[in-house]
């Protein structure tokens, strides 16, 4: 089947794709087709339910900067047509749990800062400098993306930021912390959110660390009704402009003619399963936008004959740095977890003060020595849950699941099922040791592994954060593939690999993709247009 009904085809329906699609439909009047290989739209923003009452998000656990007056919230409201309500998390929205102490993170920069200074008064000036540096980077990033429509690449303009203890932004988180702080305990606390970007201090760029810390200085927020409302709101916007979201459509190839992207070839998974053979569809369009990630787009979806100049460098980058895979235990609870002292905050639980050791222990699925886990309670972030829920997430090695890679979801062999039971027991034991009585609340539990993530997303080795945020990632000269602009005319990237990981990072990748594919309509122009419209409506 061939189809020429759409102006733009977008591969995937994650946050970056949804952002670009919505903005193109609303502000350039384009008919947009979104293609999702999963049977549910939304990418890491979709939800699922078990037992008729337990609801979980697969990717959104909390989002920062969603207070009504923030720039990010204003953009999000434009993308979703204002249809998503954001619930603030409690005053203490994070807890960093170590073997001999717990540090509670309160909303507002001044609270976080004062609590640290109370514990480490001898390092007060360095703590003050740290928060100033974090805000400098966040401010630069916002201007860079909105004004230039470019990913957060480091260039000569970043020299004016002047980080404490460093002449360059091209440093790791560990280098920054070691130059500015004496206490290992303080360094451990400051680095505790590394799970939000998936690399320990010695590997992560301080740029991504600062962006994440700044993102949560005003606390965390959660979408009312779960993250599935995001894709639902964008779907309605697309359909109002003649666009559509098609599920169970796996893009096999981006079609390129004379160096220009002209469409995609797609496997219809529903029809293919019915007939027992591949049923292909071809969609021709003026522009193709990929939310499949840089690695998948350049190594799997484009014709091999293109011989891109950075092909070998991209392969080397992908091979040289660790992939962040994880398991997630979805838990349905018999009772309200507030009865056990949980109030909706996130718990970053670590077995060691040294985050390098925590990261190096990813073989725990074999050794049984779990180095850390993330515990959250989705139902406590929603105002009207049908049933109470929890999630336990832990990073792990992908290789232990390799032999199950090609087995069908829900039909994997007995060894895989036994392994899931063992891992579930390890995770629950780890949480129970920190919070006695936790297991007694459990009514239902289901484990998802890296091969499940890979099966539904095609992300290499089931990674959840795209390609790693090492310092090299943010240098365009060394990593040109992290860019919404591609060497192929009319082909653009969106999502995390066009910006940075996480919901907000992927959304900003979507904004950059929109800016570069909209034929001259900037995001600042969009914001101004929407603001003027609201002002006029208020006057009327």
């Amino acid at each position: 089947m061939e189809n020429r009904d759409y102006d733009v085809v977008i591969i995937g329906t994650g946050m970056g794709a949804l952002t670009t699609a919505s903005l193109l439909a609303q502000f350039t009047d384009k008919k947009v087709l979104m293609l999702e290989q999963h049977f549910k739209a939304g990418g890491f923003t979709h939800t699922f339910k078990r037992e008729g009452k337990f609801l979980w998000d697969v990717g959104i656990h909390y989002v920062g900067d969603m207070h009504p007056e923030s720039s990010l919230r204003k953009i999000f409201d434009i993308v979703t047509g204002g249809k998503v309500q954001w619930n603030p998390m409690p005053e203490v929205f994070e807890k960093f749990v170590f073997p001999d102490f717990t540090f509670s993170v309160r909303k507002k920069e001044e609270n976080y800062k004062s609590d640290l200074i109370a514990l480490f008064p001898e390092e007060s000036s360095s703590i003050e400098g740290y928060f100033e540096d974090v805000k400098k980077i966040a401010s630069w990033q916002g201007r860079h993306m909105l004004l230039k429509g470019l990913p957060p690449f480091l260039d000569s303009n970043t020299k004016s930021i002047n980080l404490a203890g460093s002449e360059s932004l091209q440093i790791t988180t560990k280098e920054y912390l070691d130059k500015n702080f004496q206490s290992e305990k303080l360094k451990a606390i400051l680095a505790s959110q590394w799970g939000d970007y998936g690399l320990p201090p010695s590997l992560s760029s301080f740029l991504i660390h600062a962006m994440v810390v700044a993102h949560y200085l005003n606390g965390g927020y959660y979408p009312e009704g779960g993250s599935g409302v995001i894709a639902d709101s964008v779907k309605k916007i697309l359909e109002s402009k003649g666009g559509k979201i098609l599920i169970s459509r796996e893009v096999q190839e981006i079609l390129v003619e004379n160096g220009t992207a002209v469409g995609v070839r797609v496997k219809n998974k529903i029809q293919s399963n019915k007939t027992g053979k591949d049923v292909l569809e071809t969609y021709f369009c003026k522009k193709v936008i990929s939310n499949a990630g840089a690695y998948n787009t350049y190594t799997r979806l484009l014709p091999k004959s293109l011989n891109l100049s950075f092909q070998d460098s991209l392969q080397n980058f992908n091979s040289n740095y660790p992939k962040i895979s994880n398991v997630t235990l979805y838990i349905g609870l018999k009772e309200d977890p507030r009865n056990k002292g949980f109030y909706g905050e996130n718990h970053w639980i670590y077995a060691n003060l040294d985050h390098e050791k925590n990261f190096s222990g990813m073989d725990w699925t074999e050794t049984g020595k779990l180095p850390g886990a993330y515990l959250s309670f989705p139902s406590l972030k929603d105002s009207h849950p049908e049933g109470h829920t929890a999630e336990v997430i832990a990073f792990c090695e992908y290789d232990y699941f390799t032999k199950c890679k090609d087995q069908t979801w829900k039909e994997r062999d007995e060894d895989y099922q036994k392994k899931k039971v063992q891992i579930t027991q390890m995770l629950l034991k780890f949480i129970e040791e920190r919070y006695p009585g936790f297991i007694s609340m459990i009514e239902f539990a289901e484990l998802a592994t890296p091969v499940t993530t890979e099966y539904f997303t095609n992300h290499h080795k089931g990674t959840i954060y795209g390609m790693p945020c090492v310092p090299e990632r943010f240098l365009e000269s060394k990593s040109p593939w992290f860019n919404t602009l591609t060497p192929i005319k009319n082909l653009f990237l969106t999502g995390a690999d066009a910006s940075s990981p996480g919901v907000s990072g992927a959304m900003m990748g979507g904004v950059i993709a929109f800016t570069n594919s909209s034929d001259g309509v900037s995001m600042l122009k969009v914001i101004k247009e929407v603001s003027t419209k609201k002002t006029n409506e208020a006057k009327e």
Side-chain angles (χ1 to χ4, degrees):
M1 184 189 79
E2 292 188 0
N3 187 300
R4 300 175 185 269
D5 294 341
Y6 301 95
D7 301 310
V8 179
V9 169
I10 299 184
I11 303 168
T13 60
M15 193 64 240
L18 293 169
T19 299
T20 308
S22 178
L23 295 174
L24 286 173
Q26 291 186 71
F27 300 100
T28 67
D29 210 29
K30 294 290 190 295
K31 290 177 66 176
V32 180
L33 174 66
M34 303 186 76
L35 299 168
E36 173 57 58
Q37 72 161 6
H38 199 325
F39 54 77
K40 292 195 76 171
F44 282 117
T45 71
H46 85 262
T47 58
F48 72 98
K49 185 179 280 190
R50 293 287 186 266
E51 305 291 303
K53 60 180 178 179
F54 299 128
L55 181 75
W56 299 274
D57 298 79
V58 298
I60 289 187
H61 303 103
Y62 67 141
V63 179
D65 268 342
M66 281 296 146
H67 50 96
E69 298 307 312
S70 76
S71 297
L72 198 67
R73 172 65 179 273
K74 290 175 182 177
I75 295 172
F76 209 103
D77 285 347
I78 292 171
V79 170
T80 61
K83 300 300 183 184
V84 179
Q85 175 186 331
W86 290 92
N87 297 332
M89 291 173 65
E91 174 69 14
V92 172
F93 70 99
E94 301 255 59
K95 287 188 176 183
F96 305 149
V97 184
F98 293 93
D100 57 349
F101 75 97
T102 294
F103 182 84
S104 297
V105 183
R106 295 189 290 155
K107 292 179 181 179
K108 303 296 183 184
E109 174 195 345
E110 55 268 28
N111 292 330
Y112 191 2
K113 189 193 306 181
S114 64
D115 289 346
L116 287 170
I117 291 174
L119 286 174
F120 306 96
E122 69 282 1
E123 302 209 48
S124 60
S125 62
S126 293
I127 293 170
E128 294 275 4
Y130 171 79
F131 283 93
E132 287 304 311
D133 285 343
V134 161
K135 289 186 294 183
K136 285 178 188 176
I137 290 175
S139 177
W140 165 78
Q141 176 217 10
R143 292 195 305 271
H144 194 71
M145 290 181 172
L146 290 178
L147 293 176
K148 294 186 175 183
L150 292 172
F153 283 131
L154 302 177
D155 54 29
S156 58
N157 294 329
T158 60
K159 292 180 180 178
S160 62
I161 293 179
N162 294 324
L163 293 184
S166 176
E167 296 179 355
S168 171
L169 263 179
Q170 195 60 18
I171 59 173
T172 65
T173 304
K174 185 178 189 304
E175 287 171 331
Y176 179 93
L177 295 177
D178 285 347
K179 284 183 178 181
N180 290 284
F181 299 101
Q182 298 299 313
S183 168
E184 296 303 318
K185 184 175 180 179
L186 175 55
K187 293 178 194 177
I189 291 171
L190 294 176
S192 291
Q193 288 167 310
W194 67 265
D196 278 327
Y197 48 82
L199 287 177
S202 66
L203 293 176
S204 63
S205 166
F206 183 67
L207 175 68
I208 188 62
H209 174 79
M211 286 159 58
V212 167
V213 172
H215 182 62
Y216 291 111
L217 287 180
N218 289 300
Y221 292 77
Y222 184 80
E224 174 68 20
S227 59
V229 298
I230 299 171
D232 290 342
S233 65
V234 172
K235 180 183 177 185
K236 292 173 183 175
I237 291 171
L238 296 189
E239 290 176 346
S240 72
K241 299 290 185 177
K244 186 180 290 188
I245 295 177
L246 292 179
I247 59 172
S248 298
R249 298 302 202 282
E250 182 179 353
V251 175
Q252 306 279 294
E253 182 181 6
I254 297 170
L255 304 176
V256 179
E257 294 179 2
N258 300 319
T260 301
V262 297
V264 294
R265 184 168 292 115
V266 182
K267 176 182 175 181
N268 183 323
K269 295 171 74 172
I270 297 172
Q271 294 301 319
S272 296
N273 290 338
K274 285 182 180 178
T275 63
K277 59 181 181 180
D278 286 354
V279 176
L280 300 179
E281 302 167 350
T282 302
Y283 295 91
F284 291 101
C285 57
K286 296 174 184 176
K287 292 175 183 175
V288 177
I289 300 174
S290 175
N291 194 49
Y295 185 79
N296 273 341
T297 301
Y298 288 119
T299 67
R300 189 174 66 83
L301 298 180
L302 284 170
K304 299 291 188 293
S305 58
L306 289 177
N307 294 320
L308 299 172
S309 61
F310 54 67
Q311 200 78 41
D312 290 342
S313 298
L314 172 57
Q315 292 283 7
N316 290 337
F317 183 96
N318 188 61
S319 301
N320 290 341
Y321 298 109
K323 309 296 179 300
I324 307 303
S325 303
N326 72 290
V327 293
T328 301
L329 185 61
Y330 298 99
I331 300 170
L333 302 172
K334 301 174 187 175
E335 61 179 281
D336 190 327
R338 283 172 288 202
N339 297 337
K340 299 290 186 182
F342 301 108
Y343 297 99
E345 70 283 353
N346 304 315
H347 299 248
W348 297 96
I349 309 170
Y350 296 107
N352 197 292
L353 199 66
D354 185 344
H355 290 301
E356 305 302 323
K357 289 183 179 179
N358 292 328
F359 185 80
S360 65
M362 297 302 165
D363 59 351
W364 62 269
T365 55
E366 298 301 304
T367 66
K369 297 178 180 178
L370 193 61
Y374 170 88
L375 171 65
S376 71
F377 298 87
S379 62
L380 293 182
K381 301 169 190 174
D382 203 345
S383 61
H384 298 94
E386 293 182 58
H388 280 292
T389 54
E391 291 182 35
V392 180
I393 302 173
F395 295 128
C396 65
E397 292 283 359
Y398 171 87
D399 293 344
Y400 298 115
F401 302 91
T402 303
K403 72 174 187 176
C404 308
K405 170 179 164 51
D406 296 322
Q407 297 176 18
T408 303
W409 179 63
K410 292 290 187 182
E411 297 178 10
R412 297 192 178 109
D413 64 23
E414 187 178 349
D415 287 344
Y416 177 78
Q417 303 305 328
K418 288 180 178 178
K419 188 69 177 175
K420 285 178 66 173
V421 171
Q422 293 171 356
I423 292 172
T424 296
Q425 292 172 346
M426 291 180 203
L427 292 170
L428 292 179
K429 181 175 181 290
F430 187 79
I431 301 299
E432 182 72 15
E433 287 173 349
R434 276 74 184 173
Y435 300 113
F438 180 83
I439 290 178
S440 68
M441 294 193 295
I442 297 174
E443 178 180 332
F444 173 91
E446 180 177 326
L447 186 79
T449 73
V451 289
T452 302
T453 303
E454 189 173 37
Y455 177 79
F456 283 118
T457 67
N458 267 336
H459 290 181
H460 190 222
K461 293 193 173 184
T463 57
I464 58 173
Y465 287 140
M467 299 182 77
C469 290
V470 295
E472 183 182 333
R473 171 185 171 133
F474 298 102
L475 285 177
E476 186 173 13
S477 59
K478 291 187 176 182
S479 305
W481 48 86
F482 290 118
N483 201 322
T484 193
L485 299 171
T486 77
I488 312 302
K489 185 179 178 181
N490 292 343
L491 172 65
F492 305 86
L493 296 188
T494 187
D497 281 355
S499 176
S500 58
V503 176
S504 60
M507 186 180 77
M508 292 309 297
V511 167
I512 298 168
F514 163 74
T515 300
N516 285 281
S517 63
S518 64
D519 300 322
V521 183
S522 71
M523 194 64 214
L524 286 178
K525 182 178 179 180
V526 166
I527 293 171
K528 185 176 180 181
E529 179 182 326
V530 171
S531 178
T532 300
K533 183 179 178 181
K534 286 183 177 179
T535 300
N536 291 337
E537 289 174 350
K539 289 179 180 179
E540 294 173 1

